[in-house]
């Protein structure tokens, strides 16, 4: 265990539905520190870079359209084991597979609009923070 940083995002569906406060509240109550935060409508270029690992998949173009189609809240989180813990707080990618109490269980029903993003490893966190907070 160690103090880590990760990249977290409230996706456009979460912003549109007024879930920013709820999500930030969960992070603050848990004890994670928000060390940077900005709201922006991302360009297609930044979203394509962010999701480069999914390029070529059937859902890629729809994913890029969706993420670049509205405001998101991008955050740098800091805390003990925060990379894995934020993923655990979000729940599984497919909301119907996520554990009760998680953000995706509580607030989402579909995989294409699943409210939140979190880096999946230390390597991804460093890469994504470099894209969004350079
Ligand atoms: P993650 O967001 O939990 O890391 P990834 O597998 O990295 O999940 O996929 C990135 C995002 O792409 C997901 O959060 C979801 O919004 C979208 N996605 C993943 N798989 C599908 C799919 O099969 N159909 C539509 N969208 C998908
Ligand atoms: Mg991912």
């Amino acid at each position: 265990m160690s103090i880590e940083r990760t990249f977290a995002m409230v996706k456009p569906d979460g912003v549109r539905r007024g879930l920013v406060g709820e999500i930030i509240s969960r992070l603050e109550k848990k004890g994670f520190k928000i060390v940077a935060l900005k709201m922006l409508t991302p360009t297609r270029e930044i979203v394509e870079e962010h999701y480069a690992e999914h390029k070529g998949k059937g859902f890629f173009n729809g994913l890029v359209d969706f993420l670049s189609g509205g405001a998101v809240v991008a955050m740098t989180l800091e805390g003990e084991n925060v990379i894995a813990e934020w993923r655990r707080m979000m729940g599984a990618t497919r909301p119907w597979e996520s554990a009760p109490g998680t953000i995706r269980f509580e607030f989402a029903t579909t995989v294409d609009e699943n409210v939140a993003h979190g880096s999946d490893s230390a390597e991804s966190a460093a890469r994504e923070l470099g894209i969004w907070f350079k």
Side-chain angles (χ1 to χ4, degrees):
M1 301 272 276
S2 61
I3 301 291
E4 300 172 335
R5 284 189 174 192
T6 196
F7 175 65
M9 174 166 58
V10 182
K11 295 182 180 180
D13 55 325
V15 172
R16 226 172 262 135
R17 292 171 55 207
L19 296 172
V20 173
E22 166 75 32
I23 290 166
I24 287 176
S25 175
R26 286 180 177 220
L27 284 165
E28 289 182 333
K29 283 189 253 183
K30 176 76 175 173
F32 290 135
K33 195 167 156 190
I34 297 166
V35 297
L37 182 153
K38 62 180 175 185
M39 181 179 260
L40 72 158
T41 300
T43 60
R44 295 187 68 85
E45 289 67 34
I46 196 172
V47 175
E48 284 174 8
E49 194 181 353
H50 173 77
Y51 280 129
E53 64 174 303
H54 297 302
K55 206 163 191 155
K57 294 184 185 169
F59 61 84
F60 184 73
N61 288 337
L63 180 62
V64 175
D65 287 343
F66 172 61
L67 259 291
S68 59
V72 304
V73 171
M75 292 176 273
T76 304
L77 307 181
E78 186 180 277
E80 194 78 31
N81 212 21
V82 71
I83 299 169
E85 285 298 283
W86 169 235
R87 294 278 302 186
R88 212 151 69 90
M89 289 172 71
M90 286 198 303
T93 305
R94 300 176 180 84
W96 60 92
E97 293 173 354
S98 64
T102 61
I103 288 166
R104 284 163 168 175
F105 178 92
E106 298 287 335
F107 306 118
T109 57
T110 67
V111 65
D112 41 313
E113 299 198 4
N114 58 8
V115 179
H117 168 82
S119 310
D120 62 9
S121 65
E123 294 68 34
S124 298
R127 192 185 72 84
E128 292 169 11
L129 287 171
I131 294 171
W132 293 88
F133 288 101
K134 62 180 157 210

